[in-house]
Each structure stands twice: as C-alpha cells, then as structure tokens.
C-alpha cells in the first residue's frame, strides 16, 4: 500500500482522472472529496464488505427453504 | 412505492415500473455483477410461483448459484430508491416502463425471518436485458429489511 500524508485541502491523483481531496478533519473524522468519471463506482469499503457477505448468505438457499417460502407467501396472499 | 430514475425526464411516481416478473424474459446480462460474484454475468430469471412474485435469479454458468428475488412494491410500499443517470445509461433505459426492480431475499427458516436487501436492488431493463445490482451508496435503505414488515 502506498502511504502518503496530506493536509486539509491537499489531493492525491489516481491514474489520469481520479482525484481524492482531504476536505476537512474534525477529531477522528476525515471528510474526503472524490472526483472520478461517472463510470467509476465509489463506495465505502465496509458497505461493499457487508453487501458481499449478505449476497453470500442469500445465495443458493436449499430447495426446502425455497419451498417453505413459496408456500408461506402463497398462504399469505390467499388471506 | 416510488422509483426515481435520473435524468429527470425519466422520473416516475406511483410505480410505472413492472411490478411482477414476466414469465418469458430471455437471459440477462449483468453489467454490474452481484457484489462478491464478479465472474457471473449471465443470469436467467426463473419464476418460482404462478404470480410472478417469488423468482430465482440463476447463474447460467453455474446453475447451483442462484438468488431469490422479488419485486418490492407489494412488500415495501414506502420504498423509494433513486437510480442515478449512470445506471440509466449503462442499462440503456429509454422508457421507465421497461424497468423491472427486484430485491434479493435472504430466506430464513420462516417468513418472519426472511429479509430483503433494499440498499442494493437489482435493476433490470426488460427491453435490452441489461441488469445491475446497484449499490445505493448515499441512500439510507436497510440491507436486511424484514419481508413481513
């Protein structure tokens, strides 16, 4: 990992068209501005980790689970 | 339920989007893959019930990999995701009527334990067959919303 130190207002450039700027620092909270092409998705790392974990848990439920869910939904819509 | 699609000329209120899954949709191309499953791009939507509600999003390359999805409107009437113009462009959305919105379920042992991911819905353009799991970074929807309120 490349480690750089920045003061408020200073920036880091990634590749040719991504700029990360330190906007302000308040206590342990650092606000960061990101300029990137619209095609580059920017996400908080922990959100992506959470989503990956959620998708993995959601993936490939057993046939029994699916049958139970389907039946439960059918019963509810019949009410 | 309201889905907002940017740019503004595609804003729709009160659900013009398809709210049940068509039975005859050909294969989808996931231009943004399911988070954590970057290798899987081709998926089939397979109806699991007669109403077009419970649906399986099944990988073509590995039919053991599938996700349970539902159109969210009947379960989450206040759900109001905003889909940005980058997604609209990637999926080549030209008409809001072509948009099918789906949310991924984590099935529990009972219906009461089953949750839906509202922070990363799957947006499908039924005309172009392009789809994406869209991470709604700046919107505050839950990742595990109870299906039964």
């Amino acid at each position: 990992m490349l480690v750089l130190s920045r003061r408020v207002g200073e920036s880091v450039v990634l590749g040719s068209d991504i700029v990360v700027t330190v906007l302000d620092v308040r206590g342990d909270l650092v606000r960061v501005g990101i300029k990137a092409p619209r095609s580059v998705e920017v996400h908080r790392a922990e959100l992506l980790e959470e989503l990956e974990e959620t998708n993995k848990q959601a993936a490939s439920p057993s046939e029994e689970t699916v049958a139970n869910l389907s039946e439960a939904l059918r019963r509810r819509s019949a009410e | 339920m309201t889905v907002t699609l940017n740019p503004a000329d595609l804003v729709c209120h009160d659900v013009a989007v398809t709210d049940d899954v068509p039975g005859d949709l050909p294969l989808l191309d996931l231009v943004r893959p399911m988070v954590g499953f970057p290798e899987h791009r081709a998926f089939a939507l397979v109806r699991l019930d007669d109403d077009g509600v419970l649906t399986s999003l099944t990988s073509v390359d590995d039919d053991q990999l599938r996700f349970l999805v539902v159109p969210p409107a009947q379960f989450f009437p206040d759900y109001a995701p905003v889909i940005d113009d980058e997604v609209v462009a990637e999926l080549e959305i030209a008409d809001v009527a072509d948009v099918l919105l789906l949310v991924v379920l984590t099935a529990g042992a009972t219906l009461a334990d089953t949750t839906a991911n509202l922070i990363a819905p799957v947006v499908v353009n039924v005309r172009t067959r392009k789809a994406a799991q869209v991470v709604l970074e700046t919107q505050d929807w839950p990742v595990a919303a109870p299906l039964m309120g």
Side-chain angles (χ1 to χ4, degrees):
Chain A
M1 178 184 278
L2 174 66
V3 178
L4 298 172
S5 295
R6 305 279 65 200
R7 293 200 163 77
V8 171
E10 293 180 337
S11 300
V12 171
V13 181
L14 285 76
S16 53
D17 49 13
I18 298 171
V19 183
V20 178
T21 304
V22 179
L23 296 176
D24 61 56
V25 176
R26 263 174 264 173
D28 61 359
L29 192 67
V30 180
R31 261 195 338 139
V32 163
I34 299 139
K35 260 199 280 193
R38 306 282 331 218
S39 56
V40 175
E41 288 184 64
V42 179
H43 295 301
R44 287 163 289 148
E46 70 279 9
L47 177 58
L48 284 184
E49 280 166 27
E50 184 180 21
L51 289 174
E52 178 168 345
E53 187 53 41
T54 300
N55 273 350
K56 287 186 168 160
Q57 292 211 4
S60 308
S62 69
E63 282 297 341
E64 184 187 353
T65 299
V66 175
N68 289 344
L69 184 58
S70 183
E71 176 58 24
L73 285 172
R74 195 194 59 76
R75 267 187 270 122
R76 269 196 78 95
S77 67
E79 280 160 19
Chain B
M1 196 192 94
T2 299
V3 177
T4 300
L5 298 164
N6 289 323
D9 58 356
L10 285 178
V11 168
C12 68
H13 298 280
D14 299 333
V15 197
V17 301
T18 312
D19 46 297
D20 67 320
V21 181
D24 58 352
L25 207 56
L27 297 184
L28 303 183
D29 175 26
L30 251 64
V31 300
R32 290 189 191 182
M34 302 300 286
V35 180
F37 296 87
E39 313 290 301
H40 292 80
R41 290 222 10 184
F43 281 81
L45 274 179
V46 181
R47 285 173 135 190
L48 298 177
D49 64 23
D50 297 324
D51 316 320
V53 176
L54 192 62
T55 306
S56 173
L57 183 66
T58 303
S59 170
V60 168
D61 302 311
D62 172 10
D63 62 10
Q64 296 305 299
L65 176 64
R66 65 172 180 168
F67 298 93
L68 293 183
V69 293
V70 294
Q74 63 177 271
F75 302 100
F76 303 102
D78 298 327
Y79 185 39
V82 177
I83 309 298
D84 71 26
D85 50 352
E86 181 60 28
V87 174
V88 170
E90 284 177 30
L91 302 186
E92 297 170 13
I93 295 170
D95 183 348
V96 74
D98 293 332
V99 176
L100 171 64
L101 190 71
L102 298 167
V103 294
V104 179
L105 299 184
T106 301
T110 66
L111 199 52
D113 301 321
T114 296
T115 63
N117 181 345
L118 302 188
I119 188 80
V122 176
V123 182
V124 180
N125 181 340
V126 302
R127 183 182 56 84
T128 61
R129 299 176 302 106
K130 291 183 186 222
Q133 182 171 39
V134 179
V135 180
L136 301 176
E137 178 63 47
T138 56
Q139 299 170 49
D140 201 17
W141 307 110
V143 68
L147 193 61
M148 294 290 114

